[in-house]
Amino acid sequence: MGGHHMELPKVPDYRIYKVEDIPQLMQTQRMLAQHGLKDPWLRNEVWRYPPKTRNPWNVYKEVFFRRIKLGFALAVLTVIGEKTYHHFYPEEHHH
């Protein structure tokens, strides 16, 4: 459609997700096993649990400093836009 070729996102290999790496899912698996049940789709929930090897402070800094450039640029564009608008359309009252 339109001649645009978009690159498809890379799908990660399913074997990298292991229930054994997530204590909460292992507990769920044990509880199901007590009732004689097994959930073959439990592996699909592994992505919801981020790895615990990262320091929370480093994650905060990474997110904050990655987004601060975008926030600053948007603030500058907003001020420039307001100044331009008020230059061409001045307010009627003078107080």
Side-chain angles (χ1 to χ4, degrees):
M1 299 182 94
H4 299 288
H5 299 283
M6 294 178 21
E7 188 173 323
L8 296 175
K10 185 176 183 319
V11 177
D13 188 20
Y14 70 93
R15 291 172 286 204
I16 65 171
Y17 299 110
K18 297 185 184 344
V19 174
E20 294 79 23
D21 296 338
I22 311 298
Q24 294 96 334
L25 294 180
M26 284 299 296
Q27 180 182 2
T28 302
Q29 198 172 39
R30 282 191 298 271
M31 287 174 31
L32 288 170
Q34 288 176 353
H35 297 287
L37 301 171
K38 183 178 179 184
D39 185 1
W41 299 99
L42 195 59
R43 182 184 65 220
N44 294 342
E45 300 297 317
V46 173
W47 68 271
R48 296 178 188 266
Y49 298 89
K52 300 290 184 191
T53 58
R54 298 176 65 186
N55 183 354
W57 176 248
N58 289 340
V59 173
Y60 172 75
K61 286 192 308 187
E62 179 182 324
V63 170
F64 178 76
F65 289 115
R66 185 181 338 156
R67 302 290 185 219
I68 197 166
K69 294 175 190 174
L70 176 63
F72 184 72
L74 289 175
V76 168
L77 286 174
T78 301
V79 170
I80 290 172
E82 281 187 8
K83 296 288 185 183
T84 304
Y85 178 80
H86 288 302
H87 176 75
F88 290 109
Y89 302 102
E91 297 182 14
E92 296 293 327
H93 55 84
H94 300 287
H95 49 65

